[in-house]
Amino acid sequence: MRGSRRLSLDELAPYLVDFADPPPPLSWPAVFGNDNPVEIEVGFGKGLFLLTASEARPAVNYHGIEIARKYALFVATRLAKRERRNVRVTCGDARLLLQTAVPESSVRAVHVYFPDPWWKKRHVKRRLFTGEFAAACERILRPDDGQLRLVTDVEDYYHMARELITSHTKLRELPPPAPGEPAHDLDYLTNFERKFRKEGRPIYRACYTKR
């Protein structure tokens, strides 16, 4: 199934979760067909993290949310060709979905890797990290072991996000996981991390827990 044949929407459907407007509350057992822990990646791009993490940890369910439909379809195709049953992807605004559709205290981790900083003033409203987004992450994380993980190459964004998390949540900061030495060219969190680490650019990491 790994050929270059273009898959139909029917073939991609098992990997896509679509929402009505307004989105109804999710049921993770209904989405995945099991009670395994769920982790969410916000802004998955071309899906490197979802692909590598789901292969390494098949007993964990991964749900990716991406605003760009072309990337949602691209990653759904990659998942379908690998028959990666523990991943679902959604095209939508994570800021809304985390506030309204994801059940409270139901997610083991939220991963936010290299979010777009939206530099121009007229684009600031598009930024992912706001006080409301930080509070939504806190709401959906499990109280015993839930974690929020942030990685960015933009120092100003890193400090801004940390300030928002501190001022809008009671999440406790943990030492961020140390980046490992890549074993191969796909052994990175994302394509951005691979590019920036090879260029020797600084990368800023933060980790918070609801415990």
Side-chain angles (χ1 to χ4, degrees):
M1 194 174 177
R2 292 203 183 199
S4 59
R5 181 177 67 87
R6 185 172 181 176
L7 302 185
S8 68
L9 286 177
D10 287 341
E11 291 173 297
L12 298 183
Y15 302 91
L16 294 167
V17 177
D18 293 324
F19 289 98
D21 187 14
L26 278 171
S27 165
W28 294 127
V31 170
F32 289 100
N34 58 57
D35 293 317
N36 291 342
V38 176
E39 300 189 8
I40 290 177
E41 184 185 15
V42 176
F44 54 76
K46 294 184 178 180
L48 181 58
F49 171 76
L50 293 176
L51 289 166
T52 56
S54 62
E55 181 178 24
R57 293 177 285 278
V60 177
N61 295 325
Y62 292 91
H63 186 191
I65 303 174
E66 171 60 56
I67 196 91
R69 181 167 176 78
K70 67 176 182 179
Y71 287 130
L73 295 175
F74 176 79
V75 173
T77 299
R78 299 182 76 182
L79 295 169
K81 289 183 176 181
R82 292 163 174 79
E83 299 183 350
R84 202 61 56 80
R85 301 295 186 183
N86 60 328
V87 189
R88 302 290 186 274
V89 295
T90 289
C91 175
D93 188 338
R95 295 171 299 182
L96 172 64
L97 296 178
L98 266 59
Q99 288 177 351
T100 60
V102 179
E104 182 176 354
S105 302
S106 68
V107 175
R108 189 171 72 174
V110 177
H111 304 268
V112 183
Y113 298 145
F114 301 95
D116 193 327
W118 293 110
W119 292 113
K120 296 180 181 180
K121 287 185 178 180
R122 68 177 183 270
H123 292 156
V124 167
K125 63 182 180 180
R126 298 185 184 182
R127 283 182 181 170
L128 173 67
F129 251 100
T130 63
E132 291 76 14
F133 177 77
C137 290
E138 180 182 35
R139 184 188 75 83
I140 67 173
L141 288 175
R142 302 192 323 194
D144 52 345
D145 59 354
Q147 290 191 0
L148 169 61
R149 296 188 176 191
L150 168 68
V151 181
T152 178
D153 62 306
V154 181
E155 185 175 9
D156 288 347
Y157 198 103
Y158 168 75
H159 292 302
M160 177 271 295
R162 292 179 70 214
E163 289 175 3
L164 288 172
I165 294 168
T166 299
S167 60
H168 287 81
T169 78
K170 296 180 180 179
L171 297 176
R172 181 167 59 89
E173 190 165 11
L174 299 174
E181 189 63 29
H184 49 79
D185 203 44
L186 296 179
D187 193 18
Y188 294 89
L189 284 177
T190 71
N191 292 327
F192 281 120
E193 187 195 36
R194 177 174 57 207
K195 175 184 176 182
F196 297 151
R197 288 182 66 176
K198 288 184 175 182
E199 293 175 351
R201 292 167 57 170
I203 294 176
Y204 306 92
R205 305 170 192 270
C207 182
Y208 293 83
T209 183
K210 193 174 179 177
R211 185 180 304 161

